[in-house]
Amino acid sequence: MSTPKASGEAPRRRLPRGALTPERIVTASLALLDEQGLAAFTMPRLGRTLGADQTAVYRHFASKDDLVLAVADRLLTEAFEDFEPAGDDWRGTLVDVCQRVRTTYVSHPAAAVLSGPRITTGSSEMKAADAVVGALRTAGIPDPELALYYRVIADFALLWSGGLAGFRILDESIQEAERTTWATAYATAPDQFGNLHAISGDLDRIESEQVFDTALELLLDSIAERAARARTGQDTA
Amino acid sequence: MSTPKASGEAPRRRLPRGALTPERIVTASLALLDEQGLAAFTMPRLGRTLGADQTAVYRHFASKDDLVLAVADRLLTEAFEDFEPAGDDWRGTLVDVCQRVRTTYVSHPAAAVLSGPRITTGSSEMKAADAVVGALRTAGIPDPELALYYRVIADFALLWSGGLAGFRILDESIQEAERTTWATAYATAPDQFGNLHAISGDLDRIESEQVFDTALELLLDSIAERAARARTGQDTA
DNA sequence: ACCTGAACACCGTTCAAGT
DNA sequence: ACCTGAACACCGTTCAAGT
């Protein structure tokens, strides 16, 4: 037995060989981000979480940026775990894909903000990406517009969800301050902002998630409409 | 005259009183972000750009985060300079507002990524926000849905533009790597990704800005459709 | 009143040394 | 083969000192 330090710190022993794996490091990173937030995701703290030295992670990832990429990949793996396309229900498939990204990002906002634009089409979510294309084909969207609508759905899911995550990591106080900014502006110049003032009561009751859902419905309504027009041979003009 | 140093550095003099103003600091920050990128935006480098000590900025901003908020505000001020609602053309007004945000964000991608979720409805863009509400009213959208569609347009413009900016600050090489990821995946498991493979040629030709424009058109088509239904007294069911 | 510069507590990363 | 710890070049921020 070693003599305990006066500070009461646990006497850390050298880790056994192979104790650190990329998977464990990514899991610890995600937990750190979820529980402590973006600012806590540093190599020293990650090392402490793992019971290892602050530099031990460099044996498994070339850089912190490399680790961030792995965390981003983990996020999408989690999002599309057990995903299956909903067969003929093309609209259900597209909603499912977008909701999975949204739910995962909002559950891990700090990790989602880091992942941000680092994801377009990695490996984990390829199956979902392929299903989106299949769903649009089932809907009756013809080439080459199909590729464009695929990008609309993919970008919507990733960019909008990333934006929602960004809101989430702001302090509650900051969120509140931003919410009241325009009310102050209206108080000083009521004639300039009459339109906004008229709907202020309604605005307060809207959640960001509801806005996401509404935008998705609007996009899918238009896609369905264009598919119907394509089926009857009409032009878009 | 003072003796020049061997290294050839310009002998910096003490700045005259009032040489630093919040406006000049924000301008220098934006220029630094535009020309050198996100990683170059540090207090030491900002100080050097201003010809001042690295800590001089703290006489005008409480923290770097405070400065970031001011940069974000400047971005939206620039976006809505000379903005005027397009009168009866509600659709034109909404397109103009969204395009202004997109153009500004893509022109200042590093600053846009920093601003990211720090903006909802600040002061500079209140006029545009009010115009969006007015345009939706002109279109014939009734309360209380109007507030919801306002949020759809506002979130679309800010979140999607922020996402585009995020793509822009990635190295070209990384962008290229992400573009080819799925092609590699298809090569190893062609039967799983047949749908994607079929449209790969079309996908390569799509620019992110075009996706933004298309998504906006889809959103506005659906909003117009719902406004028409509301005018004829039909339900959404 | 405003700017300077030493100083502090961090951070990511490298590399020789341990086991 | 993998982990450690000293070390380096940074960073944001504070504060006493200058002018």
Side-chain angles (χ1 to χ4, degrees), chain B residues 14 42-44 55 58 64:
Chain B
R14 191 187 175 87
T42 71
M43 300 309 259
T55 66
Y58 286 89
K64 191 182 184 184

Side-chain angles (χ1 to χ4, degrees), chain B residues 19-49:
Chain B
L20 258 40
T21 64
E23 286 69 32
R24 283 200 56 214
I25 294 171
V26 169
T27 300
S29 299
L30 195 52
L32 191 59
L33 284 162
D34 287 346
E35 290 156 24
Q36 309 273 124
L38 206 54
F41 182 49
T42 71
M43 300 309 259
R45 298 205 209 188
L46 178 58
R48 213 179 309 146
T49 296

Side-chain angles (χ1 to χ4, degrees), chain B residues 176-199:
Chain B
E176 183 56 33
E178 286 181 343
R179 210 173 291 141
T180 58
T181 299
W182 87 260
T184 312
Y186 172 77
T188 60
D191 50 333
Q192 264 191 45
F193 308 120
N195 288 322
L196 268 173
H197 182 252
I199 63 163

Side-chain angles (χ1 to χ4, degrees), chain B residues 201-233:
Chain B
D202 298 328
L203 272 179
D204 286 345
R205 273 177 239 112
I206 297 175
E207 300 290 332
S208 294
E209 275 81 0
Q210 187 189 356
V211 180
F212 178 97
D213 293 340
T214 302
L216 179 55
E217 291 300 319
L218 293 173
L219 290 174
L220 294 181
D221 283 353
S222 281
I223 288 175
E225 180 66 25
R226 294 197 182 189
R229 275 206 297 265
R231 263 186 261 114
T232 58

Side-chain angles (χ1 to χ4, degrees), chain B residues 111-170:
Chain B
V113 166
L114 272 186
S115 308
R118 307 310 304 274
I119 296 167
T120 43
T121 346
S123 56
S124 328
E125 67 280 18
M126 292 294 299
K127 189 175 168 184
D130 200 75
V132 168
V133 178
L136 290 170
R137 203 170 285 292
T138 301
I141 300 288
D143 293 323
E145 296 103 289
L146 198 150
L148 187 55
Y149 296 146
Y150 161 74
R151 279 291 306 270
V152 167
I153 297 297
D155 286 17
F156 167 77
L158 292 168
L159 302 187
W160 205 302
S161 298
L164 287 185
F167 277 122
R168 279 296 171 95
I169 63 171
L170 295 178

